[in-house]
């Protein structure tokens, strides 16, 4: 039987794609969840759907690049439910482009959301988990955390960084806190919509034809959470069977 029921899970970037699918699945399994993202209208409709099926959910507007907002988000989970079992650092952006295009603002945004956002989640959750003596971080990397391809240098760099941070945290976390890296291959979501470079967008459109549903990643996340407290699923790559990359 799953031990997900009753666990308190905070999910960043839950307004679409993988975060949304994960929120839905965890709520179905009886987790008490808190969802955050900038598009609160999307969070509202997801929360309404979850509540109509008897699920427990709170929501809050969240920009993960703002440390104070992240702190408030994690505090909301802790105050509402009295503990935090899992923080899923899922929010991410992927405006791909060749380095030559010098889209420096997009580089900065990827660094801020994909790296700083994860660090803010860790900074907000770790003191609470230490005090409790239990907890789990699940950080979203990518197949781009293992290889680099043209137009994806900065995105991959952010995901290599997430992988390094996650492994370092796992080593330092000791016996109480579990740390998991989830690296999806191409997954149906809104991720590629932030690409402003026309050529990179075309290439991605072709590349993303072979994909898996966001629910596939949600199931992997559930697997990592439902293991016993002494079992740490440290790293998972989940990709389309037909994918070469
Ligand atoms: P989506 O674009 O569908 O979801 C991204 C989520 O991140 C949205 O909910 C968005 O919400 C949120 N987000 C973006 N910026 C911020 C911010 N500043 N503060 C808070 N939330 C933010 O894409 P996915 O579901 O695919 O992405 C989820 C994760 O999976 C990302 O980390 C991505 O890099 C990773 N991934 C996805 C793959 C795929 O093929 N889909 C492959 C490999 C990794 P809002 O805009 O409302 O703030």
């Amino acid at each position: 039987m799953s031990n997900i029921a009753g666990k308190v899970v905070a999910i960043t970037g839950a307004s679409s794609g993988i975060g949304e699918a994960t929120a839905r699945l965890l709520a179905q399994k009886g987790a008490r969840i808190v969802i955050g993202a900038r598009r609160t209208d999307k969070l509202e409709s997801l929360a309404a759907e979850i509540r109509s099926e008897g699920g427990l959910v709170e929501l809050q507007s969240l920009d993960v690049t703002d440390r104070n907002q992240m702190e408030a988000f994690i505090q909301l989970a802790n105050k509402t439910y009295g503990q935090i079992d899992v923080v899923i650092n899922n929010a991410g952006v992927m405006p791909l482009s060749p380095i030559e295009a010098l889209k420096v603002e997009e580089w900065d945004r990827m660094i801020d959301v994909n790296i700083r956002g994860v660090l803010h989640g860790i900074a907000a959750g770790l003191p609470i988990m230490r005090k409790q003596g239990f907890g789990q971080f699940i950080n979203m990397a990518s197949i781009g955390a293992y290889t680099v391809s043209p137009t994806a240098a900065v995105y991959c760099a952010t995901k290599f960084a997430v992988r390094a941070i996650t492994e370092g945290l796992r080593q330092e976390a000791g016996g109480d806190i579990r740390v998991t890296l989830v690296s999806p291959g191409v997954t149906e979501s809104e991720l590629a919509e932030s690409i402003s470079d026309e050529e990179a967008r075309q290439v991605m459109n072709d590349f993303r034809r072979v994909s898996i549903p966001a629910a596939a990643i949600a199931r992997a996340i559930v697997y990592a959470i439902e293991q016993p407290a002494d079992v740490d699923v440290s790293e998972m790559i989940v990709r389309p069977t037909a994918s070469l990359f």
Side-chain angles (χ1 to χ4, degrees):
M1 209 183 90
S2 171
N3 63 9
I4 301 275
K7 285 201 166 161
V8 178
V9 186
I11 308 166
T12 73
S15 58
S16 63
I18 293 167
E20 178 185 350
T22 303
R24 203 172 268 131
L25 185 58
L26 286 170
Q28 279 165 9
K29 289 183 173 290
R32 299 175 286 173
I33 63 172
V34 179
I35 53 178
R38 293 164 305 167
R39 290 172 296 172
T40 46
D41 54 330
K42 296 232 172 201
L43 296 180
E44 295 281 4
S45 40
L46 176 60
E49 181 195 318
I50 287 171
R51 285 177 186 136
S52 74
E53 289 166 7
L56 274 180
V57 56
E58 296 290 327
L59 65 93
Q60 185 152 303
S61 170
L62 169 67
D63 183 339
V64 298
T65 67
D66 182 328
R67 188 178 168 191
N68 292 330
Q69 288 190 30
M70 181 67 89
E71 189 68 36
F73 176 66
I74 298 299
Q75 285 301 334
L76 172 72
N78 195 32
K79 286 196 178 114
T80 307
Y81 300 123
Q83 66 190 63
I84 298 260
D85 293 276
V86 188
V87 173
I88 305 179
N89 286 310
N90 165 73
V93 290
M94 190 188 69
L96 303 179
S97 61
I99 291 179
E100 202 75 60
L102 301 184
K103 289 183 181 273
V104 178
E105 282 174 12
E106 293 186 353
W107 301 348
D108 288 345
R109 191 148 59 86
M110 283 188 275
I111 291 165
D112 286 344
V113 176
N114 301 2
I115 305 178
R116 267 189 248 285
V118 169
L119 288 169
H120 290 161
I122 293 168
L126 192 57
I128 299 170
M129 292 182 190
R130 275 274 178 253
K131 212 163 148 198
Q132 296 174 160
F134 62 86
Q136 181 174 18
F137 288 100
I138 298 181
N139 297 335
M140 297 302 294
S142 165
I143 46 171
Y146 300 84
T147 51
V148 183
S149 52
T151 76
V154 178
Y155 178 74
C156 292
T158 66
K159 295 302 187 179
F160 271 67
V162 170
R163 187 171 157 219
I165 291 161
T166 305
E167 173 59 10
L169 177 63
R170 187 192 68 76
Q171 291 172 11
E172 292 179 24
D176 296 336
I177 297 168
R178 300 191 294 169
V179 183
T180 300
L181 184 81
V182 178
S183 291
V186 179
T187 305
E188 289 159 21
S189 76
E190 297 177 9
L191 194 66
E193 289 172 21
S194 63
I195 302 174
S196 67
D197 183 88
E198 200 39 54
E199 207 181 318
R201 187 180 259 274
Q202 283 301 330
V203 171
M204 262 299 116
N205 279 346
D206 291 341
F207 179 68
R208 293 184 71 79
R209 285 217 173 93
V210 178
S211 64
I212 50 177
I217 308 302
R219 291 196 297 274
I221 290 171
V222 162
Y223 174 79
I225 296 175
E226 71 187 358
Q227 299 310 304
D230 63 342
V231 177
D232 183 70
V233 180
S234 307
E235 208 164 328
M236 281 193 275
I237 298 176
V238 182
R239 55 159 66 97
T241 306
S243 180
L244 290 180
F245 307 98

